[in-house]
Amino acid sequence: MNMKRTLNELVRAVVDEAERNPEFARRIEEALGLQEKPKKPVLSRASHRRAPAALDPVELARRGELELRARLAELNLEQLKDVVADYGMDPGKLVLKWKTADRIIDRIVEVSIGRARKGEGFLSSGSPRSE
């Protein structure tokens, strides 16, 4: 079996299962970044934890970079850091040490656009090419 046929059969099997199983479809959408992961319930946060994000940067990124940047510009430095922390945008724990809002906004925009576009390659509007 060639690679193209194997991949086509795999995709067909995933689509068939997603059509039959709403929970599976939700998990696929979540994995592709088409649906946000549900927030875990907040159990008593320790005093050293940051506040929840004031906005959803990935959803705003889906509407466009200009809108995302405009909304981020309304936030103060601590609120920007809350967004970074709440959305896991600082795996190396460096961004939270930054002192300039513009630098933090650039990082949020970069990560949010990447997440908003995740999976777009699977959603191209054209029909699959045939060989």
Side-chain angles (χ1 to χ4, degrees):
M1 200 179 268
N2 69 29
M3 178 67 76
K4 181 178 179 181
R5 181 176 296 156
T6 301
L7 290 174
N8 278 332
E9 288 180 13
L10 172 64
V11 170
R12 266 191 239 112
V14 169
V15 169
D16 289 345
E17 182 62 22
E19 288 175 345
R20 284 192 298 268
N21 183 339
E23 175 61 18
F24 180 76
R26 184 197 61 76
R27 289 176 47 217
I28 293 293
E29 288 175 350
E30 187 177 288
L32 293 174
L34 302 175
Q35 176 180 355
E36 288 300 308
K37 293 181 181 179
K39 296 262 185 187
K40 294 178 182 169
V42 177
L43 304 173
S44 63
R45 286 188 152 195
S47 60
H48 66 279
R49 294 284 183 128
R50 299 202 65 89
L55 51 74
D56 180 345
V58 178
E59 182 58 37
L60 289 170
R62 288 187 181 113
R63 297 183 203 166
E65 182 176 342
L66 292 177
E67 183 172 346
L68 173 59
R69 284 187 180 277
R71 293 287 307 278
L72 290 172
E74 297 171 357
L75 303 180
N76 66 38
L77 191 63
E78 290 305 309
Q79 289 172 314
L80 291 169
K81 289 180 180 183
D82 292 341
V83 172
V84 169
D86 205 16
Y87 283 86
M89 297 178 169
D90 190 17
K93 303 297 182 218
L94 296 174
V95 179
L96 294 179
K97 296 177 184 176
W98 295 350
K99 304 290 185 208
T100 61
D102 288 341
R103 190 172 182 198
I104 296 172
I105 287 172
D106 288 343
R107 175 64 178 169
I108 294 170
V109 169
E110 174 189 358
V111 173
S112 298
I113 289 174
R115 290 180 182 175
R117 291 183 179 159
K118 185 177 176 184
E120 281 184 356
F122 296 102
L123 301 174
S124 62
S125 58
S127 60
R129 295 186 322 183
S130 58
E131 290 184 29

